[in-house]
């Protein structure tokens, strides 16, 4: 399996696992508005990551290569919709901003873990 495919598969799975774990811990240990922020933030970023992955996969797979402007249009549309959802969640006091920030960090944590695992894999591969 190619390194890119391995990392993408790892990050996609880790996103959902981290979202589930953070949400469970949040609802068990934190006030409801913080826990809801973690859940909604994680859902927003995880779904966005999935949609971006799908957009890029279809855009870069021959024979139906998409134009750069089509890919960017989808990206900015997702960005605007996400921003609107975040605005409504915070301005309506549905979630705690700190919880939302934690939830929005799910993909960053997944990518960091995937990078560290891949680096460890390469270091030990070269050592043998």
């Amino acid at each position: 399996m190619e390194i890119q495919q391995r990392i993408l598969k790892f990050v996609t799975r880790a996103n959902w696992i981290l979202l589930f774990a953070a949400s469970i811990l949040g609802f068990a240990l934190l006030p409801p508005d913080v826990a809801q922020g973690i859940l909604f933030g994680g859902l927003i970023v995880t779904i966005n990551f999935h949609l971006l992955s799908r957009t890029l996969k279809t855009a870069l797979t021959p024979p139906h290569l998409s134009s750069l402007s089509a890919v960017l249009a989808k990206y900015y549309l997702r960005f605007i919709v996400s921003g609107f959802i975040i605005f409504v969640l915070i301005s309506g006091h549905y979630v705690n901003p700190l919880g939302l920030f934690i939830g929005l960090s799910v993909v960053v944590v997944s990518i960091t873990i995937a990078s560290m695992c891949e680096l460890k894999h390469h270091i030990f591969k070269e050592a043998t």
Side-chain angles (χ1 to χ4, degrees):
M1 182 184 301
E2 260 183 64
I3 186 171
Q4 295 92 344
Q5 291 297 328
R6 188 170 60 235
I7 291 173
L8 180 62
K9 187 176 178 182
F10 181 91
V11 170
T12 303
R13 283 187 183 161
N15 287 344
W16 290 107
I17 292 168
L18 287 172
L19 170 59
F20 180 75
S23 296
I24 294 296
L25 284 172
F27 281 106
L29 304 173
L30 300 170
D33 62 334
V34 177
Q36 288 172 346
I38 293 171
L39 175 64
F40 286 119
L43 282 173
I44 291 167
V45 75
T46 301
I47 291 169
N48 266 334
F49 181 83
H50 174 73
L51 292 174
L52 176 63
S53 170
R54 198 172 76 185
T55 298
L56 291 175
K57 193 179 296 182
T58 57
L60 300 174
T61 304
H64 301 39
L65 298 176
S66 298
S67 69
L68 177 61
S69 57
V71 172
L72 287 175
K74 288 180 182 180
Y75 175 80
Y76 283 117
L77 179 62
R78 276 194 309 276
F79 183 74
I80 291 168
V81 169
S82 297
F84 178 74
I85 292 169
I86 291 168
F87 173 77
V88 169
L89 289 172
I90 292 174
S91 66
H93 302 288
Y94 297 109
V95 298
N96 181 292
L98 179 61
L100 189 65
F101 176 76
I102 293 168
L104 290 170
S105 301
V106 165
V107 171
V108 174
V109 172
S110 297
I111 292 171
T112 302
I113 293 170
S115 300
M116 291 176 9
C117 289
E118 211 44 54
L119 183 62
K120 183 182 85 169
H121 174 76
H122 284 294
I123 289 171
F124 287 118
K125 183 179 176 183
E126 288 184 11
T128 58

